[in-house]
Amino acid sequence: MINKKNALLVVDVQNDFCPGGALAIQAGDNVIPVINQIQPIFDTIIATRDWHPSNHVSFAVTHPGKNVYDVIDINGISQVLWPPHCVSGSMGAAFHPDLETDRFKLILHKGMNPALDSYSVFLENDKKTPTGLDGFLRSLEITRIFLSGLATDYCVFYSAMDAISFGFETCVVIDACCGVDIPERNIEKAIRLMKSSGIKIISSLELL
Ligand code: VGL
Ligand code: ZN
């Protein structure tokens, strides 16, 4: 079932998104054993890290008078304001120590532009600036992508939506993902939108 044309994408399994981190997802670390278990099935595994400068546009502290989780408009782009997280090179930005990283073919950093956020691993939030991942996958003749990681309703969601629109067959391994759920019911909404866009929502049990 899984062959050389398939790639596993491990999205943002970093300390700051796990319990104890700056933008902790409750039980976010529960995805790690699942991701480690499915890695051996894939020849191509690509990991991403959210990797921000300390003055990043997505940090509430960058906008005096604004609060965490406020939503603001920046040049026509809606931006949720987060606590500072995944500052490049910090412990919070490191992969969670339990994540198996030895077979990552590529580690892609995103969100490095201080003025622009990047939820998707394909395109930054202006929906125009490429991260380079599309070209990397195409040069390896990858046609199908399986997504795992954090967060279901942000980086996994936007990455999956871009993956299908770039023409990849796209599957989200739902038990290998965990969501922020801000605002309330955001995960449910993300899953509904992904399904209606032709993205398959599967369980890791279907791969093992
Ligand atoms: C993410 C919020 C802010 C994610 C990144 O990886 O889903 N969420 N930055
Ligand atoms: Zn971020």
Side-chain angles (χ1 to χ4, degrees):
M1 182 201 173
I2 301 298
N3 59 40
K4 290 203 184 309
K5 292 186 179 300
N6 298 165
L8 175 66
L9 222 69
V10 180
V11 177
D12 299 0
V13 182
Q14 294 165 270
N15 289 324
D16 271 344
F17 295 124
C18 292
L23 181 38
I25 298 169
Q26 205 188 343
D29 54 340
N30 283 356
V31 303
I32 297 167
V34 183
I35 294 171
N36 287 346
Q37 203 179 13
I38 60 177
Q39 287 199 47
I41 310 168
F42 292 89
D43 279 322
T44 301
I45 308 169
I46 293 156
T48 63
R49 288 194 289 211
D50 209 33
W51 202 255
H52 299 311
S54 57
N55 61 342
H56 194 245
V57 66
S58 76
F59 297 172
V61 289
T62 306
H63 307 272
K66 297 291 176 190
N67 297 307
V68 166
Y69 305 130
D70 283 354
V71 181
I72 63 168
D73 185 284
I74 302 165
N75 306 319
I77 300 170
S78 165
Q79 176 70 56
V80 181
L81 297 181
W82 305 103
H85 63 278
C86 298
V87 172
S88 37
S90 68
M91 271 308 292
F95 288 123
H96 189 286
D98 295 340
L99 182 69
E100 189 61 63
T101 61
D102 292 355
R103 293 187 56 251
F104 291 164
K105 193 165 275 182
L106 173 73
I107 298 172
L108 182 99
H109 290 153
K110 62 181 181 60
M112 294 178 73
N113 179 343
L116 184 60
D117 207 358
S118 186
Y119 292 144
S120 162
V121 301
F122 289 95
L123 291 178
E124 299 193 26
N125 287 8
D126 61 357
K127 310 279 183 202
K128 293 198 285 256
T129 309
T131 64
L133 185 62
D134 174 54
F136 184 85
L137 292 167
R138 277 181 213 284
S139 72
L140 294 180
E141 299 181 1
I142 301 292
T143 57
R144 185 165 61 164
I145 296 170
F146 291 80
L147 288 112
S148 65
L150 308 170
T152 316
D153 46 339
Y154 284 93
C155 290
V156 173
F157 169 72
Y158 287 100
S159 300
M161 296 297 274
D162 280 348
I164 194 117
S165 75
F166 275 64
F168 296 101
E169 203 181 322
T170 307
C171 305
V172 172
V173 186
I174 201 69
D175 55 324
C177 299
C178 194
V180 178
D181 222 17
I182 295 170
E184 226 175 285
R185 308 184 83 84
N186 204 39
I187 298 174
E188 188 185 301
K189 180 179 156 199
I191 292 173
R192 186 164 17 88
L193 280 167
M194 289 191 286
K195 281 184 176 163
S196 65
S197 305
I199 296 162
K200 293 193 183 81
I201 307 294
I202 67 161
S203 154
S204 64
L205 298 173
E206 295 172 59
L207 293 172
L208 297 167

